[in-house]
Amino acid sequence: MKTVLGYIGLGNMGKPMSRRLLEAGNELVVWNRTISRADDLVAAGAKAAASPKDLAGQADIIFICVSDGPTLKKVSLDERAGLVSGLKPGKIVVNMSTVSPAESSELNSAVEKRGCKLIRGPVTGSTALAENGTLGVLASGDRETYEKILPYLEQVGKNQFYLGDGEQAVVLKLAVNTMIASTMQMEAEAVVLCEKAGLDVAQVCDVIAGSAAGSPLCSYKAKMIAEGIYDPAFTVKLMMKDLDLAFDAAKQYGVSMPVTAITRQQLQAAAATGKEQKDFSVLTQVLEEACGYQR
């Protein structure tokens, strides 16, 4: 019998990942709070579920990609319509959402009580990488279960990392996001320094991207920063959420994160000046304003 996949959460990352699974020839059932986001997937052959519980009843492997912990709890643990209430023994849940270790552990306990397994599978990379299937997938949980679902993970991510049998993937995803956020703050400082010295911002961004200090992130964001148009790929609001989760983990493990703290304050400045729904690379504009620079 063919394995049926389910996908809950069709946002900026979930939508392209679910499309990759469908285009690979899988039978796919989808659900999203705004159901119209599933219309094109349904037109392409997916089936729309009435609720997360309904989806769990139809699918053998259920992927989740939602915005935050409270949303994860709502779609998974709601007694009336949550996916856990629809699980039958032997099913597999893959949580690709960025949440705290505690929120992930709560979901794991609920899933295991139903005789099922949870794989933590957050991803690294941009929406563009989600669309072309070259994301990095960080995974932890039961190793045998991971091996079973690896072919499906490979359909959404080029780079696969199995990290352990617990919450390791969740912690590493938060750690990576602290570096991503701080990289954008460092680039903001470099760009504004150069702007005020009379250099061309587009050229500055190109040089940074190609330098020893550059990274794929700097390349992704070069055009956005150069044009000063910060349409959201990953919002200020979501990045603040992730840094707050990282601070919670840092408290748990006794780690100091001073650079992350400074970056979090700059993101707060972005939110306070009406930029909460802008891409987090708007940190450059925040610093321009603070330094009295106007393009």
Side-chain angles (χ1 to χ4, degrees):
M1 181 177 288
K2 189 172 183 179
T3 298
V4 178
L5 305 183
Y7 211 104
I8 294 172
L10 304 176
N12 288 344
M13 296 296 287
K15 182 76 168 283
M17 284 193 282
S18 61
R19 186 181 297 111
R20 294 286 306 182
L21 294 171
L22 184 61
E23 291 175 347
N26 298 297
E27 187 172 342
L28 183 67
V29 185
V30 296
W31 182 86
N32 192 69
R33 284 181 295 181
T34 304
I35 195 60
S36 60
R37 286 193 63 85
D39 288 350
D40 58 335
L41 294 171
V42 172
K47 182 179 178 181
S51 67
K53 179 179 180 179
D54 177 42
L55 183 146
Q58 299 181 58
D60 304 298
I61 302 172
I62 301 106
F63 295 85
I64 312 170
C65 188
V66 294
S67 59
D68 53 33
T71 303
L72 176 66
K73 187 171 184 176
K74 177 66 176 178
V75 302
S76 60
L77 303 181
D78 181 78
E79 293 183 3
R80 183 179 62 85
L83 77 94
V84 168
S85 63
L87 291 175
K88 296 292 192 299
K91 297 196 175 189
I92 299 170
V93 179
V94 185
N95 179 35
M96 309 186 95
S97 317
T98 303
V99 297
S100 72
E103 289 163 335
S104 177
S105 180
E106 182 182 16
L107 176 61
N108 181 62
S109 296
V111 168
E112 290 198 337
K113 284 180 181 178
R114 304 289 291 192
C116 302
K117 293 292 185 181
L118 174 72
I119 293 295
R120 297 76 159 168
V123 299
T124 63
S126 65
T127 52
L129 298 189
E131 289 167 359
N132 61 30
T134 56
L135 292 165
V137 181
L138 313 179
S140 60
D142 178 69
R143 183 65 185 254
E144 184 178 351
T145 303
Y146 169 74
E147 297 293 345
K148 287 180 182 178
I149 67 165
L150 182 56
Y152 303 107
L153 297 179
E154 289 174 336
Q155 290 168 10
V156 301
K158 179 181 179 181
N159 301 308
Q160 303 293 326
F161 304 92
Y162 176 75
L163 300 163
D165 61 3
E167 303 301 335
Q168 294 92 339
V170 176
V171 175
L172 183 51
K173 174 58 189 296
L174 295 175
V176 168
N177 275 16
T178 67
M179 292 191 67
I180 288 171
S182 297
T183 296
M184 280 294 93
Q185 176 58 27
M186 288 189 294
E187 181 156 1
E189 294 176 18
V191 167
V192 176
L193 172 62
C194 291
E195 284 181 314
K196 295 202 75 172
L199 281 79
D200 176 73
V201 65
Q203 189 174 38
V204 169
C205 289
D206 287 343
V207 170
I208 290 172
S211 74
S215 67
L217 176 69
C218 296
S219 296
Y220 304 152
K221 301 300 185 184
K223 185 173 185 291
M224 189 175 288
I225 294 171
E227 294 180 350
I229 300 174
Y230 298 98
D231 293 335
F234 193 79
T235 66
V236 167
K237 182 178 181 179
L238 287 177
M239 186 58 83
M240 289 195 298
K241 180 266 296 184
D242 287 357
L243 296 194
D244 288 343
L245 294 178
F247 288 137
D248 289 341
K251 291 176 184 177
Q252 179 179 346
Y253 295 109
V255 176
S256 175
M257 305 184 80
V259 174
T260 303
I262 292 170
T263 303
R264 176 61 175 79
Q265 288 299 311
Q266 291 299 101
L267 288 165
Q268 188 65 55
T273 52
K275 303 177 183 67
E276 189 176 56
Q277 296 301 326
K278 297 288 188 180
D279 189 82
F280 74 99
S281 57
V282 79
L283 285 168
T284 294
Q285 188 178 85
V286 171
L287 191 58
E288 286 171 338
E289 293 172 355
C291 295
Y293 184 82
Q294 184 172 1
R295 293 193 194 180

